[in-house]
Amino acid sequence: MRYSLFHVERDQATTLQSQIREMLVSAMLAGQLPAKAPVPSTRAMAGRLGVSRNTVMLAYQALATDGFLVARERSGFYVAEDVRAAFPIKPERRPSATVLATAQETSNVDWDARLRLAPSRQPNITKPENWHDYKYPFIYGQVDSSLFPIGAWRDCMRQSMSLKWLDAWTDDRFAADDPMLIEQIRQRVLPRRGVMAQPDELLVTMGAQNALFLLNHLLVREGAKVAVEDPGYPDMRNMFALRGAELRPVPVDSQGMRVEALTDESLAFVTPSHQFPTSVTMTIERRRALLDWADRADALIIEDDYEYETNYRGEPTPALKSLDRSGRVMHVGSLSKSMMPGLRMGFVAAPAPVIRELRAMRRLILRHPPGNNQRVVALFLAQGGHDALIKRLHKVYLRRWEAMNLALADHFPGWSRSPAFGGSSFWLQGPDGFDAHQLAADVEADGVLIEPGDIFWSDPQSHSSSFRLGFSSIPEERIAEGIKLLAKAAQRQLDSFD
């Protein structure tokens, strides 16, 4: 608060002292001046407001009398330890209606009428922020930080800050990406998927989510017929819905999206390598059929190739983009899943005209991803840090996959199909009438965290029995015990059916 901007209006009917009091009370109640925080000295505040020091002193003393401030000899004034205890206060000292309105965050604006969109009202995936506190976090999308080579990453960060690389991340690149990162994606990341791309066919994004949002806004018109997997990625459904698209849920079976169900859609969103959330891998035959459909329907395809690097069990499967001969596939990848979710680093591989417009759109939103992050990731890729990390993840994830597969076979026979791809989660389908939300609530007290699966379906109410179990963030030795606790709770619910 020492450097915050304060001001008073000299032409107001209220006195300068009253304005100073109201200004500080508003800051306290809004949390900008937290408990025990020092307020600017009377000399500094007087100089900042252009008023006499005595005016400020009288305002501070009045606030101290009301319990908002505490005076410390030879130190100054501080916010009271429990500033909200100052209410209710004496009527003659009560802050004005303006102050109270600010503190209560009220508004005279009819926001329901003003807001064109209401994304917060859409069904969204929710996960507890304190998942670290759970002993058995079967949660998807988080990582075990102990597996990350922090030493190698720190070395790359130090290198990026050397004079040699200083311009790489201190310059404003406007709409451009770090050329070193683009080259590393071309040489080390895309070849694993069989994808060949020129520099003008690549765009770096703030994670795959940012890439999907940009593609949605660039390609989807209001009323467009869009095919989505069912079950599928709810965030993508929400993005399409915000654009006013007509969603066409397409069933998923053991071979991926059922292409024969596609008709006159203009765009299809798929996760062929590792279907979200069931983990099935789309067969080569289905992939070719999907591309044939796109040609016949003159349609486009957005391929979310998430978790491609966690294929430690199945045969390497070429990305849908690598089979595309008509330039209809927009390939989205992420480095966040293998490295760290908080890194927010992804990319799009698409025809040059698409990338050109995506780059211009990204510039309007955020110009470009942070240059320091781009260069550190580029060095991490170039020096083999990412390759070494993937090898380590494969070893650890395979052991966890085997532990969970055995535990599920013992305690949930027939509820899941072992994902041949590998990945970092299992998809379970309970019997009709089973309530996964009730199961999640029943095991939370035991430190078990699971994800009910109804959110992934276009008709959630009809699929209350499915749920997902991730194992990327739970130690191998806890998996069996956690599944056993989960099975006991599930059995209690099943027994209640009788």
Side-chain angles (χ1 to χ4, degrees), residues 23 87 233 269 290 305 349 358 371 409 468:
M23 174 183 63
F87 289 100
Y233 188 32
F269 172 74
L290 179 58
D305 199 29
L358 287 174
R468 181 170 62 176

Side-chain angles (χ1 to χ4, degrees), residues 470-493:
F471 54 83
S472 59
S473 57
I474 182 173
E476 176 189 350
E477 60 273 13
R478 296 183 190 173
I479 290 177
E481 184 179 356
I483 295 297
K484 185 176 181 180
L485 289 171
L486 191 64
K488 289 182 179 179
Q491 189 59 52
R492 288 196 297 270
Q493 185 179 154

Side-chain angles (χ1 to χ4, degrees), residues 200 218 351-361:
D200 64 351
L218 184 67
V354 177
I355 295 298
R356 181 178 62 247
E357 301 307 326
L358 287 174
R359 190 177 301 281
M361 184 183 295

Side-chain angles (χ1 to χ4, degrees), residues 255-443:
Q255 300 181 58
M257 175 185 273
R258 295 181 56 182
V259 178
E260 70 274 12
L262 295 170
T263 55
D264 60 343
E265 295 82 7
S266 62
L267 185 145
F269 172 74
V270 293
T271 53
S273 296
H274 191 206
Q275 203 276 331
F276 189 100
T278 66
S279 297
V280 302
T281 299
M282 181 181 284
T283 62
I284 292 293
E285 292 74 21
R286 283 274 178 92
R287 294 174 191 236
R288 292 197 176 105
L290 179 58
L291 293 171
D292 290 342
W293 164 82
D295 283 337
R296 292 194 307 271
D298 190 24
L300 300 177
I301 300 171
I302 297 177
E303 174 188 29
D304 185 356
D305 199 29
Y306 88 105
E307 273 199 338
Y308 75 91
E309 69 281 358
T310 60
N311 184 4
Y312 47 83
R313 294 194 70 252
E315 293 295 324
T317 307
L320 192 63
K321 177 69 174 175
S322 70
L323 305 173
D324 179 23
R325 298 294 178 264
S326 302
R328 298 185 178 279
V329 178
M330 319 300 131
H331 179 90
V332 175
S334 173
L335 295 170
S336 301
K337 286 289 188 293
S338 58
M339 296 172 69
M340 58 186 88
L343 180 63
R344 310 314 309 151
M345 191 65 66
F347 58 88
V348 182
V354 177
I355 295 298
R356 181 178 62 247
E357 301 307 326
L358 287 174
R359 190 177 301 281
M361 184 183 295
R362 187 193 66 180
R363 180 182 184 276
L364 295 175
I365 300 173
L366 51 84
R367 298 178 83 88
H368 59 79
N372 57 333
N373 284 2
Q374 290 196 56
R375 181 46 58 100
V376 174
V377 172
L379 291 168
F380 192 69
L381 289 168
Q383 296 173 16
H386 189 244
D387 293 336
L389 173 59
I390 289 177
K391 290 180 181 179
R392 187 175 189 182
L393 290 177
H394 281 190
K395 293 180 181 178
V396 174
Y397 282 4
L398 177 58
R399 292 197 300 268
R400 294 180 183 180
W401 184 98
E402 291 172 340
M404 181 168 283
N405 193 44
L406 288 173
L408 291 177
D410 288 341
H411 299 289
F412 289 92
W415 286 45
S416 69
R417 184 188 302 112
S418 302
F421 183 92
S424 61
S425 64
F426 279 69
W427 178 252
L428 281 76
Q429 184 69 52
D432 291 342
F434 190 80
D435 189 342
H437 278 280
Q438 183 61 52
L439 177 63
D442 291 343
V443 297

